[in-house]
Amino acid sequence: MRMTFLFFIIFSLPYLISAQFTDNFSDGDFTNNPTWFGDSNKFEVDSSGRLHTIYDSVTSEIYLSTISKVSENAVWEFSSEYLFDPSSSNFAKIYLMSDNEDLTSDLNGYFVKVGGESGSIDGVDLYMQVGSNDILLIDGIDGVASLNPNLSIKVTKDNLGNWELFTDTSSSIYFSNGTANDLTLNSSDFFGVVCKYTKTRSDKFYFDDFSVSGSWDTTSPQKILPNDLVINELFIDPTPSIGLPEYEYIELYNRTDSDINLTDFIIKIGSTEKVFPVSQIKADSFTVLIKEDIIDSFPSDISKIGFTSISLTNSAADVVILDNYGTIIHSVSYTDKW
């Protein structure tokens, strides 16, 4: 049944795949469903269920990003609050599209900037970034973000490159901040936030209710060959502990120099199949497959993908990785004689 469904998607929609993700942080974290990457030690989900920056003793620029391919017929929505008056030293950028997980590095993408001006003219603006160059596309209304802004923001883009930027300052009614037309960049890998601050403003950024919907071009799908992705390590019998969390896990290694999108890949353990959530493994990097309810038991600085369960029989089993077309990418058969 699953292969029939994939056949239908591939041949009836050869150019675009529709998708969306939402995160209102009601699960109390940003480590799963979806997983956010970056400066995870500088953020928390507070008691009101909002993504919140943590106090920092130094001036800094930090980011969190999550996988998002949406780039066509798109709608991006989120809310944000800043318990300060933004300035050229204290502001936020919300990246709608980026080809780089690290949103503080050179990249190609589009972002909304909240604040960042001198005086009382801080607004909400839309930029395109190419490498290290920022290009203003929509110069929003001056003053909208000048005084302790508490905003809902929406950006739309159709497949002709027509952009529109909206803000809502608490009346529950969006108003337009301007339009633009741009088709320079047509693909995305990540969505996320950047916070630039001095230490006195470091813990005063709040974000919530992220919603991204739309589609993306699939005419150039990734090409994953057998053994590009390998099962690198199996932690089958975690008791007694050897200095690691006492939970079973499977470690994968990406042997290529390109990131691999793991969404809808399959991990098969014996006769049990688990489908990967929206996730990826970076080039020449590792990721650990574990149960989602113990994901916080592992260090925050390693890549992790959570499943409802990961169970490795102590005696013997076949472990197989299949791509989203059902092709075997790598397999391992272990026994207790190991």
Side-chain angles (χ1 to χ4, degrees):
M1 178 64 73
R2 183 174 184 277
M3 292 307 296
T4 301
F5 177 73
L6 285 174
F7 183 90
F8 173 79
I9 290 292
I10 291 165
F11 288 97
S12 65
L13 297 174
Y15 300 108
L16 296 176
I17 284 183
S18 297
Q20 70 177 45
F21 84 81
T22 60
D23 200 347
N24 61 8
F25 305 101
S26 59
D27 56 1
D29 61 51
F30 51 85
T31 58
N32 198 30
N33 297 321
T35 300
W36 295 76
F37 314 95
D39 297 305
S40 56
N41 62 328
K42 301 294 181 67
F43 290 86
E44 66 176 4
V45 176
D46 68 10
S47 58
S48 63
R50 295 191 295 174
L51 183 66
H52 173 225
T53 52
I54 297 172
Y55 176 75
D56 196 348
S57 60
V58 297
T59 296
S60 190
E61 185 176 40
I62 60 175
Y63 80 96
L64 280 183
S65 63
T66 189
I67 294 170
S68 176
K69 297 286 186 181
V70 169
S71 58
E72 303 284 350
N73 294 315
V75 179
W76 297 271
E77 291 186 82
F78 56 90
S79 61
S80 60
E81 183 176 10
Y82 312 89
L83 303 184
F84 58 89
D85 297 346
S87 67
S88 58
S89 300
N90 295 279
F91 59 87
K93 295 192 288 187
I94 298 86
Y95 277 82
L96 314 177
M97 296 168 54
S98 172
D99 65 353
N100 191 340
E101 175 196 312
D102 185 350
L103 303 179
T104 61
S105 299
D106 290 355
L107 58 85
N108 300 306
Y110 297 91
F111 65 86
V112 171
K113 186 177 183 180
V114 180
E117 304 287 345
S118 299
S120 60
I121 63 172
D122 292 278
V124 178
D125 307 316
L126 178 68
Y127 284 82
M128 175 174 64
Q129 181 174 335
V130 179
S132 59
N133 298 315
D134 296 343
I135 302 162
L136 180 63
L137 297 181
I138 298 176
D139 185 3
I141 300 170
D142 288 350
V144 167
S146 61
L147 301 173
N148 288 29
N150 185 357
L151 304 166
S152 293
I153 296 172
K154 178 170 73 172
V155 181
T156 62
K157 173 185 178 285
D158 65 20
N159 61 0
L160 299 177
N162 295 308
W163 296 80
E164 189 161 10
L165 170 64
F166 302 86
T167 57
D168 170 13
T169 57
S170 70
S171 62
S172 300
I173 299 175
Y174 281 114
F175 58 90
S176 178
N177 277 233
T179 61
N181 183 271
D182 186 84
L183 277 172
T184 305
L185 307 174
N186 294 308
S187 64
S188 176
D189 293 301
F190 298 96
F191 170 96
V193 300
V194 170
C195 301
K196 182 177 176 62
Y197 53 72
T198 56
K199 67 178 182 179
T200 58
R201 302 290 187 262
S202 59
D203 60 345
K204 303 185 187 306
F205 294 74
Y206 294 83
F207 303 93
D208 203 359
D209 298 323
F210 290 112
S211 175
V212 177
S213 61
S215 55
W216 71 89
D217 192 341
T218 61
T219 55
S220 300
Q222 63 180 356
K223 295 179 175 63
I224 308 302
L225 301 175
N227 299 318
D228 279 352
L229 178 71
V230 298
I231 300 164
N232 183 69
E233 184 172 279
L234 300 170
F235 197 43
I236 299 163
D237 187 359
T239 305
S241 172
I242 55 172
L244 295 169
E246 291 195 52
Y247 301 105
E248 297 173 349
Y249 66 79
I250 299 170
E251 184 181 76
L252 305 182
Y253 172 54
N254 178 359
R255 301 174 64 241
T256 75
D257 58 2
S258 300
D259 300 347
I260 296 177
N261 179 11
L262 296 173
T263 305
D264 289 334
F265 273 46
I266 296 172
I267 176 76
K268 185 175 181 180
I269 306 171
S271 59
T272 301
E273 292 187 356
K274 300 286 184 181
V275 179
F276 280 71
V278 175
S279 54
Q280 76 157 6
I281 181 170
K282 299 291 288 182
D284 188 27
S285 296
F286 302 86
T287 194
V288 175
L289 314 183
I290 52 178
K291 288 182 63 179
E292 59 189 9
D293 60 354
I294 54 93
I295 204 165
D296 291 334
S297 299
F298 287 72
S300 61
D301 60 348
I302 67 172
S303 174
K304 306 176 287 289
I305 301 173
F307 294 81
T308 55
S309 66
I310 288 288
S311 181
L312 295 165
T313 305
N314 285 354
S315 57
D318 297 328
V319 183
V320 184
I321 296 290
L322 304 97
D323 68 13
N324 51 327
Y325 301 109
T327 302
I328 294 176
I329 303 301
H330 191 241
S331 64
V332 171
S333 297
Y334 71 86
T335 74
D336 54 6
K337 293 180 181 180
W338 284 17

